[in-house]
Amino acid sequence: MINTIRAIVSYFLISLTASICFVAAANNDVPLNMSTHKTITQAIEVGHTQTTIPIVIDHAQTLALELIAPIEGVSVGLIKPSGQTVINPNDPETVIIPGSEYQPGLPGATVILPAVSNPVQGVWQIVLTYPEATYKTIVIAKVLQQTSIAFGVAMAMNEFVVGESIPLAALLTHDGTGMTNGSVMFEVTEPSNTVINLEAFDTGQDIDHQAGDGIYSKEFMPSGAGDHIIKATAQVVHEGVSVTRESSKRITVRAASIDINKVSLEPVLDETGCVLHVNQKVELFAHTAGEYAFNSGIYSGAERIREVKRVALSQGAQTVSILYEKEDLVKSFSSDAILTPQPLYVLQLEQNDNVLANVRRHFESKLALESIQFCREAIEIVKDLTTTPEMSADGAYITALTFQFPVYVEHAGSYTGSVNISGVNGKRIDLVSFSKHLPQGDSFFEFTVSGEKFQKDDGPYTLNSLLVYTRGHSARLGELGHTPAYKKEDFIPKVNTSLTFEMIGLERNNWQGTQPVIQGRKRVGGYVRAGASIPYDYEVLSSLDLSHIKGTLIDASIDVVVGSSSLVTPFTQIDVFSVGDKAWNMSNVSYDHFCQSFTLCPPWKADVTSFNATSDNATYTLQGEAVLNLLQAWIDNPSENNGIVFTSSPHERSYFIEITDVKVNLTYAPE
Amino acid sequence: MKIHTRHNILLPFILCCSTVSFADTGLDIEQIQLLSGGSGISPPEEKLGTYVVDSGPGLDTGCTFKSGGPLVIELPVPKVVNDSVLVNGKIDPSKVNELINEKIISAKVQISMPVFDVDSDASVPGRNPEIDRVSFNGKVVGILQGTNGRWTETRLEVPIEEVDFLKPNLITVDIDVANPQDSWCMSVDWVALEFDVATPIVLAHGINSQSDSWDDDDAPGVITRLDELGVRYERYSVGKNGSTAGNAKQLATHINGLLDELKADKVHIIAHSKGGLDTQNMQAQGVDFEIESLSTFSTPHLGSVAADFSIIAMEHAATSYHPSGADPHGYANAYLTLPTFVGPQLPGIRDLTTDVAANAVATGMRGNIDNTFSIGANADLDQDGVIQKDPDIVGLFPYFSRWAGVRAWQVLRNYSHAAYVSTETIVVPGSMGAGQVVTLVTYTATATAAQENDVVVTLASANPSYAQSLGNVRANHSTMKTRENLERFLNKIKTIR
């Protein structure tokens, strides 16, 4: 072995004094093993009964030892530098795992000694005793130290290509903080066993990227291919004690299997001059045929696209194209981006390994996206549907919906389209076809659908399965958009009608007579039925047949005309109830038909509304949601006996007011 | 568009009786013939959830009358969900709502078909308008809508449970069912079935394992949960102790097979331990599909010092002792090749080292998948800073070697020290327009702390900066593969759709 110090005058070192630029690359933290473990071996010869292994401790908080002793009957003790036994051979805390526990069994045992805290500086001795050895073997001691002074080779990469400069680096820390007062030497053993010693510095100069961070660096230019052993040694005086730490790493330097001679970015255009994709064109010479993976990408500031291109290369000069699709460019970069290729990292793909194939070089090539013509598709549909209703002359309903949506076409010509329209419940409304001669550029399609079509289902209506085509080109869109939430009745012409209720008066006077009197006189007043102690009660029952009406009510009101009052106005409140019971008619109804006792009759289904007759001889209009819902229910469930009862309880037999007429006014969309 | 009174006399009748229609469309007979030969409407590109038949029986028939029908078109749909939700090739009706709610598959399938000359709005005395009835696997699903002399696209819907994922689906068009005789003709260019379906999932195992490491014994509830979910998933065995590069090739071959079957180009990968490294290596080698996400159960993204020790010991043993004659019986060598943590062997274990990790991360061979999610584990279940053989090591090592697990955990936690340095890639200007690329490192002071770990991988290594950590769990390296932890990944995967 020849120990030399090679003077390296590298072009790299010189170059560093020139300007450098930084490349967009994943800036991930990489791990370093900073452990200070040692593995020490000692021979056991035939006839031996004891083996002593010295270990040097300079600065540690804890010492742990694990031994492989392939010899039967072994016991292990530990002696500190002063000669005092720290762990005696029969220490009960020592763990012995016999080799016989393994399959197949092994002679001897693995011995784990209890940890020693704050071991003093100096040479310790591990002492193994055993019956006379009958065979030759070795004992292996793994020395584990917990120490606040850690050291490790700090090289991210472990493989290089001939021609690449290697940034040797090692990190020295105390409690996680970089130590700058150390002395670090690298010993590089080349494949030829030539040893090169290099001193490293944490000065921020040359190859050292940052001063004072605890990383000591030195550039090394390998002379050829092969495995190189990088051994780093740090010496530092800490609290008056000279501490030594060692770490090593194996790096592989390979002959390049490809030489990359040029990398450029260029747009690839179609026959009309529109960009199809950007080509990262790699001109190379392959020394070795095989399968390769080109890991690269393009970036602009923080924006980037990562790409891996796998390609089989034959031996010789050739060109590899790494393509970046137009869609990805549009998605990933702003329009004013200037694209730069990332350095190529090419792997030669072997059966069970990926091998660095090229010297990593960066070729200056930029491409401004603004310089590229990003042409549009032959047909581009813009998902921006507008819906315009056309109203009937009276403004009562929608006669048609006109739809419009933007479209861009590359070439002027006749274009045809179709679109499905469906209702909110999925019912198909219509398939609409349309044609139009479109000028080149931005334009729009417009078509009108009759309101009758929308009477099938409520909206919002969905326009889907849009297809636009011309000779040689077509565009499809799953969903073009929705209309507002129209109702199907919005499209139905409205009918207005007024109907008059039939009315009878229902009266009970005192306890006279078991049957109530059906009066020709229609009045309300007296006492309330329920709980009335004095049964004078006047009510008005009105009936309306809506069975001939089919459709959806848009508007409804009930006009109640009141006549004279027995009181000085205002009269008291008049309550309006709907009659749920349908098993009656105007010819057979009695007072008790709706109520068999003086309780509130269940068939008086529910309050519809109430109003105060503030003036006699006046008309009061009942309307609102309750009235609308009541009348729609009568329409939906046809019966001749739709009843409304008017009651009032001024709590005096002589208090009443006449109801002379009840009319309903309906606006509805017929079915 | 064409009214027919006698078979095989198409052209004269077209000329005779469709004058108005021609005038409407502005097409002459040659154009009609030309048009009916193909719609010119491009079918959607086949992909996961989109399946197309563009040739074969029932398609491109020119213009077919009732007597020439029905048109029967076969369209196979691959098995995009897993077997456990299928009954006789169709989705189990009792499970379909759950699949829809979980967004594994859409409720409806869209049937698209460009149809030619469907005169659904025709008004010809003595003839009913053209009604062409479409059935899907024997059930009527609607009628075609169209226009005289034109290609239009009809879109119909069927419930997803009507789709057969094992046998070809039959799309039948009964032509002109409203007329007793041949009156109207039509044709179909192609048929596409489109529905939304979850990207398939592939499970990648760790070192010294095979695909059965996802069985219930080793990964309780994981397979059951995937079965319940209904998503199509597969688990493949690659090299038990193979290198990441070798395993990546095998994994890519398996995934290509799956995606080819499904016409898919994306996959989610859920990996245990080294499976996550195999996956990233696969990405670095270049694949034809997109790895939409990578979810890792305690993958040593940044390496494992435990693996470093094993490698050092193995290499030391291999090169120093036995061959030198110092240990002629190879006893020491035999001990050394009993790994620090039982099982993992060369060459795979080398890829778990911090050395390989540093190289891979620095060169972008790891951290190269955009949606990477991670979960780490701490084997110290009671968090007392001491590890017990039982329960902390149970499930990871066989009983006789649990001591090795205890030792490995202690070494990783207290006697190993991994520092993390930042890399920066710079270009030094050179000749011929090319600069040299160099990766340099810098260090920022970091307080040292116990390296909590799952006996094999530290939390720091399991959760690298390029991954989105979904938290850490109390379990060892093996027992962390549970249904609950899987659910964390599934919740993230769902958001990607």
Side-chain angles (χ1 to χ4, degrees), chain A residues 36-38 55 57 60-67 78 87 111-119 124 126 141-147, chain B residues 407 410-411 414-415:
Chain A
T36 53
H37 306 337
K38 293 176 186 170
I55 54 174
I57 301 297
Q61 283 73 57
T62 311
L63 170 65
L65 297 165
E66 181 178 317
L67 294 101
L78 182 64
I87 299 172
V111 181
I112 301 171
L113 300 183
V116 177
S117 297
N118 301 314
W124 292 56
I126 307 168
K142 294 183 187 174
V143 182
L144 309 175
Q145 294 182 73
Q146 211 174 5
T147 172
Chain B
R407 191 64 172 167
Q410 289 171 337
V411 169
N414 301 321
Y415 292 95

Side-chain angles (χ1 to χ4, degrees), chain A residues 501 541-544 576-585 589 593-595 600-608 629-630 633-634 637-646:
Chain A
F501 282 75
L541 171 62
S542 60
S543 169
L544 183 66
V576 184
F577 297 90
S578 67
V579 179
D581 184 8
K582 305 293 184 185
W584 60 277
N585 60 56
V589 69
H593 196 101
F594 301 106
C595 189
L600 191 63
C601 299
W604 296 18
K605 190 176 176 182
D607 285 344
V608 176
N629 290 342
L630 174 67
W634 288 356
N637 303 286
S639 168
E640 296 176 358
N641 303 322
N642 303 307
I644 289 178
V645 174
F646 296 89

Side-chain angles (χ1 to χ4, degrees), chain A residues 258 277-282 284 290-297 305-313 319-325 344-349, chain B residues 282-288 365:
Chain A
I258 62 170
H277 35 247
V278 165
N279 180 10
Q280 184 178 354
K281 187 176 169 186
V282 183
L284 57 87
E291 197 81 15
Y292 291 82
F294 287 66
N295 283 260
S296 188
I305 300 176
R306 191 159 39 196
E307 190 65 51
V308 184
K309 167 93 172 183
R310 187 167 176 158
V311 62
L313 296 179
T319 300
V320 170
S321 292
I322 304 171
L323 301 180
Y324 301 90
E325 299 299 328
L344 278 164
Y345 194 88
V346 185
L347 299 174
Q348 185 179 3
L349 306 180
Chain B
M282 179 172 68
Q283 173 76 0
Q285 292 186 26
V287 285
D288 295 332
M365 301 301 108

